[in-house]
Amino acid sequence: MAASRLGQWLLTSDEPEPEGFYESESDVSANHQTQPWWRVMCLTGVDYFSTLGYQPAIAALAAGAIAPFATLVLVLITLFAALPMYRRVAEESPHGDGSLSMLERLLSYWSSKLLVLALLGFVATGFVITMTLSAADAAAHMLENPFLHDALSGKQVVVTLLLLALLGGVFLKGFKEAIGIAVVLVVVFIGLSAVVTVEGLVEALTHPEVFSNWTDAISAEHAIPLGVIGAALIVFPALALGLSGFETGVVVMPLVKGDPSDTQEAPLGRIRNAKKLLTSAALIMSVMLLSSTLVTTLLIPGEQFEEGGEANGRALAYLAHERFGDAFGTAYDIATIGILWFAGASAMAGLLNIVPRYLPRYGMAPDWARLTRPLTLVFTVIAAVVTLLFSADVNAQAGAYATGVLALMTSAAVAVTLTEWRRGRRSRGLFFGVVSAIFVYTISVTIIERPEGLLIALIFVVMILVVSVYSRIMRSTELRVNRVDIDQGAQKVLDISIADPRPIRFIANKLQAGDSDEYDEKMAEVQLDNHLGDHEDRIFLEVEVTDASEFETLVEVTSVQVGKHRILRATGSSVPNAIAAFLLHVRDLDDQVPHVYFEWSERAPADNALRFWLAGEGDIPPLTHEILRKAEPEEQRRPQVHVGG
C-alpha cells in the first residue's frame, strides 16, 4: 500500500508541465509572470556566473602562467562568436525551444529525430556534469573553509552527494525557478568577486615585481611570443565552461517581458530584450573572468592550484581568505556555495525542460517522462553515479563538462549557418560558417585532450537511444492521433452512409493506379473473401503516410469519386493508427460500430514489424485491431476488423 501511494505521488502533479519544467509561453502569459530582462539574466546567470567559483583555478592548472592569454582567447570567442550566434538563435526560436529546435526544423523524418536524440546525449552530459561539478566545487569550498575543514576533512564525496540529494529533494517537493533568489545570489556573488578581484589588481599594480615574476615565468615556459599565442590557442578549449548559460538564456525567453505590441508570430520586444540579456551576461562574465584569471595567476603560487592545494577549484575563495581574513572569506564561501548549488538547480531545470519537449513527443520515452518527480529521481541517481565515478573531483570533470557544452554550441552554430544559407544570406552564412569551424576545432581539441568527456556523452547517447527505441516499440500501438479532421466532401459521404440503417463497411486499400479497374478488382476480392452481399454499403479507405517518424499526428480526411466507387483518403504518421482513429471517430457519429476489411500481408513478420516502426505500414490488420482494443476496452463499442484471403 505504501509503495502504491509513493507511485501515485510520483506520477501525479498539482501543476502538470507537459512542455517542460520552465513554464510554457501560454502559462507565463496567463499568469502575468514575465520579468524585466535583467532579472531573467540573473536566472541564467546562476549557471553562467557561478563558473567563476572554479574556472580561474582550472585555467591556472591547465595553462599555467599563460592562463590569462588562454582566457582572453575564450573571451574573444564568447563575444565575437558565441554571442552573435545566440542572438540569432533568439530571433529564430523566441518561444523557449532553444537551438535544438532549429536543427529539428532544418531536417525531417527520422534523420531529424536521430540527430536530436544524439545531441540530447551531449546536452545531458553538459547539464548533469554542471550539477555534479557545481556540487563538487561547493563541497570543496565547504571543506577548505577554516571553520569546517576539520569536521569535513576527507568527506568531499559524501558532502557532494548530500548536496545533490538536497537538490533532488527540493525538486521533488515542487521547486519553481525563484528569480528573486537568483537576483540576490548573482548580485552578492558578483559583488564579492569584484571586491576580491579589484583588491588583487591594486595589489599587483602597486607591486611591480608581481608582473615581472609573471613575465619571467612566461618566458621560462615559452621563449617567443608566438609560442605564447600558440599555447593559448591550444589550451583555451579546456576553459570553455559555463557557456551553457547561453542555451539557458534562450530557453527562458518566454519569461522575458516584451512590448505590448508583441504577437505570437513576432514577439519583437521580447527578442530585443533577450538580446540585451545575452549581451549583458556575456560582457559581465568576460570582464570578471579575464580579471579574476589574471589576478589569481599573478598572486597565487602555482603549487596551490595542484590537487590538495588550498586554491584547487577555489582560486578566488583562496584570495578572499588570504587578503581579507576568514570572516570575509567565509562570507565569500557562503555566496559561492549558494550560487553553485543554484547552478545545479538551473541545470536540473534545464534537463526537466528539454527532455519532455522532445522524447515524449517522439514517443521515445514513457509518458511519465513529462512529469517532474520521476525525472528528478532519474537525474539525481545519474548525478550521484557520475559523482562516484569522478570521486567528486572538480578538475577531473572539466573535460566532460566542456565536451557537453561545446557539442551543444557547435550544433547551434551549424544550425544558424544552415539557416542563413537557406535564406540566401551568404555573408552571414559565411561568418557563422567560420564560427562553426571555431567550435568544431574547439570540441575536437577538447575530445583529443580529454576523451572521457566524449565517452560519457556517448554513454548518454546510447542510453537515450536504447530507451527511445524500446519506448517507441512499446508505445507504437497507442492511438497516437490528436484529432481527426474531415472535409466537407468526406463528411457528405459519411452522412449518406450514416443515414442508411446498415453498418458502414470500409475497405482498406493501398493506392496504386487509382483507376476504376483497381477498385473493381479490390471490391471483387474483398466480397469473395468475406462473403459480402452485393448491396452492402461499402466505402474505400486509403491512408497516406506523411512522416512516419512523428509519434502523434493529425488525421485529415478527404474524398474522391472514381467511377462508381466512393473513396476516403486520410493522412497520418501510421496507417493502422490513422485507420483506428478514423473508425473511432465514425463510431462516435453513428449509432452502430463501423466495419473495416483487410487482406493478409504476404511479408515476413520481422519485415512487417520493421516497416511499421520505420515507415508506419507493416501488417496492418492485427495492428489496427490491437490499437482499437487498447483505445476502446468495451468490445460492443469497438469497430470491427475483418481479414480475408
Side-chain angles (χ1 to χ4, degrees):
M1 181 66 74
S4 176
R5 286 197 297 268
L6 176 61
Q8 185 178 7
W9 177 74
L10 284 173
L11 297 176
T12 57
S13 175
D14 296 331
E15 298 179 4
E17 296 153 353
E19 295 182 3
F21 185 79
Y22 289 120
E23 290 184 282
S24 66
E25 186 166 2
S26 58
D27 291 337
V28 171
S29 177
N31 297 322
H32 305 287
Q33 292 176 329
T34 55
Q35 299 280 341
W37 64 266
W38 59 271
R39 288 176 63 86
V40 183
M41 180 191 72
C42 293
L43 178 61
T44 65
V46 293
D47 179 9
Y48 197 14
F49 301 144
S50 67
T51 57
L52 288 171
Y54 50 81
Q55 189 157 341
I58 291 176
L61 192 61
I66 65 165
F69 293 102
T71 303
L72 177 61
V73 174
L74 176 63
V75 166
L76 293 175
I77 290 175
T78 298
L79 295 178
F80 298 104
L83 178 58
M85 177 178 74
Y86 273 96
R87 285 169 64 93
R88 283 292 294 123
V89 173
E91 294 176 7
E92 294 292 331
S93 184
H95 303 295
D97 298 326
S99 62
L100 283 185
S101 65
M102 294 178 63
L103 280 174
E104 186 185 27
R105 293 194 300 267
L106 286 170
L107 299 176
S108 60
Y109 301 102
W110 286 111
S111 58
S112 170
K113 274 67 176 180
L114 291 175
L115 177 61
V116 170
L117 289 177
L119 290 175
L120 282 176
F122 288 93
V123 171
T125 302
F127 281 126
V128 168
I129 300 297
T130 296
M131 292 164 55
T132 59
L133 188 149
S134 297
D137 197 50
H141 281 77
M142 295 173 69
L143 266 67
E144 292 299 330
N145 184 275
F147 301 112
L148 298 174
H149 180 75
D150 293 339
L152 300 179
S153 180
K155 299 178 180 178
Q156 171 89 7
V157 174
V158 174
V159 174
T160 302
L161 290 174
L162 287 174
L163 288 172
L164 289 172
L166 177 62
L167 178 66
V170 171
F171 276 87
L172 287 174
K173 184 175 176 60
F175 180 83
K176 277 292 184 181
E177 288 296 332
I179 292 181
I181 297 175
V183 171
V184 172
L185 285 173
V186 167
V187 170
V188 172
F189 177 71
I190 292 295
L192 293 177
S193 297
V195 170
V196 175
T197 302
V198 170
E199 197 279 339
L201 288 173
V202 171
E203 172 71 13
L205 290 172
T206 54
H207 295 80
E209 66 274 12
V210 171
F211 275 99
S212 63
N213 291 337
W214 177 49
T215 55
D216 290 342
I218 294 175
S219 299
E221 294 179 7
H222 306 280
I224 58 174
L226 286 178
V228 174
I229 297 173
L233 290 172
I234 293 173
V235 169
F236 96 89
L239 312 183
L241 308 174
L243 293 180
S244 58
F246 278 111
E247 188 70 23
T248 310
V250 292
V251 167
V252 299
M253 279 185 66
L255 297 175
V256 178
K257 183 177 291 185
D259 297 335
S261 59
D262 282 1
T263 64
Q264 177 76 9
E265 295 75 21
L268 300 180
R270 179 198 300 163
I271 292 172
R272 184 183 65 253
N273 289 333
K275 289 181 178 180
K276 292 179 183 178
L277 180 159
L278 295 168
T279 303
S280 299
L283 289 172
I284 293 171
M285 187 61 176
S286 296
V287 171
M288 292 300 301
L289 189 57
L290 191 57
S291 58
S292 62
T293 303
L294 178 62
V295 166
T296 53
T297 303
L298 290 173
L299 299 182
I300 299 177
E303 62 272 12
Q304 294 294 344
F305 294 112
E306 301 291 338
E307 184 175 352
E310 294 182 19
N312 182 258
R314 55 186 297 276
L316 284 177
Y318 174 90
L319 287 181
H321 282 275
E322 183 186 63
R323 310 294 301 179
F324 293 95
D326 289 338
F328 180 90
T330 299
Y332 187 82
D333 285 340
I334 293 172
T336 306
I337 292 167
I339 197 168
L340 285 168
W341 183 85
F342 219 73
S346 179
M348 177 71 88
L351 285 169
L352 295 176
N353 174 70
I354 201 165
V355 168
R357 282 181 184 267
Y358 292 99
L359 293 186
R361 178 162 58 88
Y362 292 171
M364 293 179 172
D367 206 44
W368 57 256
R370 300 178 186 272
L371 300 175
T372 294
R373 288 168 185 157
L375 276 183
T376 296
L377 281 180
V378 171
F379 294 137
T380 301
V381 170
I382 291 174
V385 171
V386 171
T387 296
L388 292 172
L389 289 175
F390 283 102
S391 301
D393 189 323
V394 174
N395 297 315
Q397 296 179 73
Y401 182 26
T403 299
V405 171
L406 288 170
L408 187 59
M409 301 196 74
T410 302
S411 67
V414 171
V416 172
T417 301
L418 293 177
T419 299
E420 297 293 7
W421 277 99
R422 279 195 173 188
R423 297 185 178 175
R425 300 167 181 169
R426 303 304 183 194
S427 58
R428 287 188 178 186
L430 183 60
F431 170 75
F432 287 113
V434 174
V435 172
S436 299
I438 292 173
F439 280 110
V440 168
Y441 159 77
T442 305
I443 191 172
S444 300
V445 172
T446 301
I447 290 172
I448 292 171
E449 294 292 328
R450 307 291 293 269
E452 70 275 8
L454 178 62
L455 177 62
I456 292 174
L458 290 178
I459 291 173
F460 276 113
V461 170
V462 171
M463 288 172 56
I464 289 173
L465 287 175
V466 170
V467 171
S468 298
V469 172
Y470 175 78
S471 176
R472 184 73 182 234
I473 292 172
M474 297 302 295
R475 298 185 64 191
S476 60
T477 52
E478 294 179 12
L479 194 59
R480 295 170 49 186
V481 172
N482 296 321
R483 192 174 75 250
V484 177
D485 281 350
I486 299 181
D487 75 356
Q488 187 174 358
Q491 188 63 54
K492 184 177 180 180
V493 171
L494 289 176
D495 289 341
I496 294 172
S497 295
I498 290 171
D500 191 313
R502 295 170 299 178
I504 305 178
R505 302 182 187 276
F506 295 100
I507 298 175
N509 181 57
K510 183 174 183 179
L511 178 62
Q512 298 179 33
D515 55 17
S516 293
D517 291 341
E518 176 184 343
Y519 296 107
D520 288 339
E521 183 179 344
K522 184 74 173 183
M523 181 74 76
E525 290 177 358
V526 171
Q527 185 172 326
L528 177 63
D529 293 338
N530 295 278
H531 310 290
L532 289 178
D534 292 332
H535 302 293
E536 298 287 351
D537 185 27
R538 287 160 288 185
I539 303 171
F540 282 95
L541 177 60
E542 300 170 344
V543 177
E544 177 189 359
V545 176
T546 50
D547 182 355
S549 67
E550 290 293 332
F551 186 70
E552 294 183 347
T553 187
L554 165 69
V555 172
E556 297 180 311
V557 184
T558 59
S559 68
V560 295
Q561 183 87 21
V562 178
K564 63 181 180 181
H565 303 292
R566 296 169 296 165
I567 301 113
L568 297 182
R569 289 177 176 166
T571 60
S573 60
S574 168
V575 174
N577 302 81
I579 291 176
F582 173 74
L583 293 175
L584 289 170
H585 180 82
V586 173
R587 185 274 317 267
D588 293 338
L589 299 176
D590 201 355
D591 294 332
Q592 49 194 335
V593 298
H595 295 242
V596 63
Y597 295 85
F598 297 96
E599 290 182 315
W600 288 113
S601 171
E602 296 296 328
R603 293 177 179 267
D607 186 17
N608 273 323
L610 192 61
R611 290 176 66 240
F612 174 55
W613 296 326
L614 296 180
E617 297 179 351
D619 197 2
I620 295 171
L623 288 167
T624 304
H625 179 270
E626 179 63 13
I627 294 165
L628 286 169
R629 188 186 66 82
K630 286 188 174 182
E632 177 50 78
E634 188 176 343
E635 188 173 356
Q636 292 77 12
R637 288 182 46 77
R638 190 184 305 153
Q640 297 297 301
V641 176
H642 306 269
V643 190

